[in-house]
Amino acid sequence: MPTVLGSLRRLALTPSFADVTFARRGFPVEETDATRRLEAIPQSVICGFEWGIEVRDPWEVERRLELVEAEMRGFAYEGATMAFTVRDAMAAGRGHRTRDLLRGPAVPHTFLTYIGIGFAMARLPRPLWKNVLPDLTGTPYYPTMSWLAVDGYGFDRAYFQTDKWVTRQERPADYPWEGRPEYFGRAVDQGIGRALWFIHGGQPAAAAAAVDRFAAERRADLWSGVGLAATFAGGCDAAGLDLLRRAAGEHRAHLAQGAVFAAKARAFSGCTPEHTEVAVGVLARMPVAVASTLADDVAVAGLVSATVPDYEVWRERVRARCADQLDARA
């Protein structure tokens, strides 16, 4: 059941449903069925956050999350992870809600729960970041995929501080996530790329133009984020996705890599919507099952490079395979 303290935390920290709508955020989006479906994603995150920040019993939070429709459930887990991360940080290192959730019922949503940690990072002072990632030894893709937390931080900043991070294109100070401060900005850009898909309501031409307004050296990571969002969240038909792939030009393998990661995340969750199958087919020229297997075939575990994190080695390997596939189907 909710507590008085939990209710106060919810009132202080939770944005309203209206606050995350495209109109309230000032995004240049025309309201359609597709954009309303995209808006339902941050609203699902808010539901999970409200339950996680307010309810005393973790079992009750988990039960509520499991009642969310399958396609949106991962986003609700994302919000609950964000809430548990904030609560654990407020417990001065004594909290273990995030660890228990991510080791337990949230495992199928591993990719999104890392992003939820990043959402919490956007609301916590940097000195507290060193404790936000719990020890998840033995869970799939840990710690390699934890860079999605930094991606989540980038998405949050772009979505809620669009003028600063998108219009003015400011860059964050480096942070030694997994001991790699020099990669922090790149992972943030991957999250900003995901946000661009939402900011422009899943409109391929507008999203592509937004990427092209960034400095050239940032565009590859932005395109990867666009591909991940378009494939995981949807919002566009096959014709539009084909336009997106062609607009990516020299970065089409980065776009495809994001699509493959999204397909892997959907397959791992046990729920693959039709729009994900369509998107990875157009952007990466392969079905979800092949994309999921590809991601595992080239997955990285353990330090394999002295210059980039394992996460980037994994991305590079996926890109190389995607480039071969795209060339073969050109």
Side-chain angles (χ1 to χ4, degrees), residues 41-76:
I41 290 172
Q43 291 170 347
S44 296
V45 174
I46 288 174
C47 285
F49 181 81
E50 287 184 335
W51 297 332
I53 206 70
E54 182 178 23
V55 175
R56 182 197 305 272
D57 185 352
W59 176 88
E60 182 175 335
V61 176
E62 294 160 14
R63 183 68 186 121
R64 293 186 186 201
L65 294 169
E66 288 300 314
L67 293 175
V68 177
E69 66 167 285
E71 185 178 335
M72 293 291 181
R73 189 174 301 146
F75 300 114

Side-chain angles (χ1 to χ4, degrees), residues 266-283:
R266 278 296 192 185
F268 191 69
S269 75
C271 174
T272 302
E274 178 62 24
H275 68 72
T276 295
E277 193 72 67
V278 171
V280 75
V282 173
L283 302 182

Side-chain angles (χ1 to χ4, degrees), residues 1-13 53-56 87 90:
M1 294 293 292
T3 64
V4 172
L5 178 59
S7 296
L8 292 173
R9 284 195 301 257
R10 176 176 58 80
L11 290 170
L13 296 173
I53 206 70
E54 182 178 23
V55 175
R56 182 197 305 272
R87 292 183 70 168
M90 292 169 63

Side-chain angles (χ1 to χ4, degrees), residues 61-173:
V61 176
E62 294 160 14
R63 183 68 186 121
R64 293 186 186 201
L65 294 169
E66 288 300 314
L67 293 175
V68 177
E69 66 167 285
E71 185 178 335
M72 293 291 181
R73 189 174 301 146
F75 300 114
Y77 267 98
E78 189 175 273
T81 302
M82 172 187 169
F84 282 4
T85 302
V86 170
R87 292 183 70 168
D88 287 348
M90 292 169 63
R94 298 187 302 275
H96 52 82
R97 288 173 178 267
T98 310
R99 181 199 66 198
D100 294 348
L101 184 70
L102 271 58
R103 282 180 173 271
V107 166
H109 309 290
T110 291
F111 297 78
L112 292 186
T113 55
Y114 281 132
I115 290 172
I117 291 174
F119 290 170
M121 289 164 61
R123 286 152 184 79
L124 294 170
R126 282 198 173 203
L128 295 181
W129 287 9
K130 64 181 181 295
N131 295 320
V132 295
L133 182 65
D135 182 0
L136 300 173
T137 301
T139 60
Y141 310 109
Y142 173 82
T144 306
M145 194 56 79
S146 73
W147 279 98
L148 281 174
V150 183
D151 177 306
Y153 172 80
F155 179 98
D156 184 283
R157 297 298 75 195
Y159 197 95
F160 288 104
Q161 296 182 356
T162 309
D163 183 62
K164 177 178 181 177
W165 297 98
V166 177
T167 306
R168 302 203 307 269
Q169 300 176 13
E170 294 193 21
R171 305 188 192 212

